[in-house]
Amino acid sequence: MIEESHFETFLYISKNKYQIFVQDKDNLKNIFNEEIEVDDQIELDNLSKFLDDNIYKIEKVVNRFIRNIILIIENEKILSTDISIKKNNYEKNTSQKYFETNLIEVKDIFKESYHDQIIMHMVIINKDKNDNSLIFHDSNINDNYFYLEVNFISILNSFTFIYEELLKKHHIKIKKYMSGSYIKSFLNKEQSEFSIMANQLNNGLNKNEVKLVSKTPENKGFFERFFQLFS
């Protein structure tokens, strides 16, 4: 039996392909991988059959029921939005708590403006187009200001609903959404395997991406962790 904490199940959906794969999180390899090409459209009946054909196979491999899945979507409906804040910072406050407070503020601005969107990725932009640092205050601009810019990649809630309902029929809950285009933007000569890159990004490869968690009585923090923004 494979320990549940050692693997992650992903479902990738685009107009050209369905892919389901299970990644060994520690060894960065596929425990299971199956995909089919589709004809430039998403057919829910075909997707449901694809799940029927493969979920049982996965459960035999890992010897346990699949209850959660990470859904990767590649679609033109995915939205990319940059939001920035600039404020006085006379006390030169650069503590992690101060930074966290401002991240929450930016996130709240996004949710107020795009209340019908589900956040897939929240990425801190720490460089401008001229490769100048934007994190905290920049002494070359004005020490009295704090500037923060964040890129939000999101998808319409109404668009994801159909997939939530479909997976619910298989007793599977979507634990996280990821953008297929975002994952592909990190592929290179050193790492060209989509499934491995999805696993690496899910586990913090991009140090500027903020990992969001639900607010619960056991975990009241909005952000699960901060990445090494100052390295």
Side-chain angles (χ1 to χ4, degrees), residues 8 22 27 51 55 66 77 101 106 108 151 182 190 201 217:
E8 195 77 74
V22 182
N27 298 315
L51 290 171
I55 292 297
I66 300 301
K77 293 183 183 293
T101 299
V106 175
D108 289 342
N151 174 243
Y182 174 77
E190 287 71 32
L201 286 168

Side-chain angles (χ1 to χ4, degrees), residues 27 32 56 64-65 67 76 94 102 106 117 195 218:
N27 298 315
F32 180 92
Y56 178 69
R64 62 176 65 244
F65 292 118
R67 292 292 179 239
E76 65 273 8
T94 58
N102 283 281
V106 175
Q117 296 277 327
S195 58
E218 293 78 19

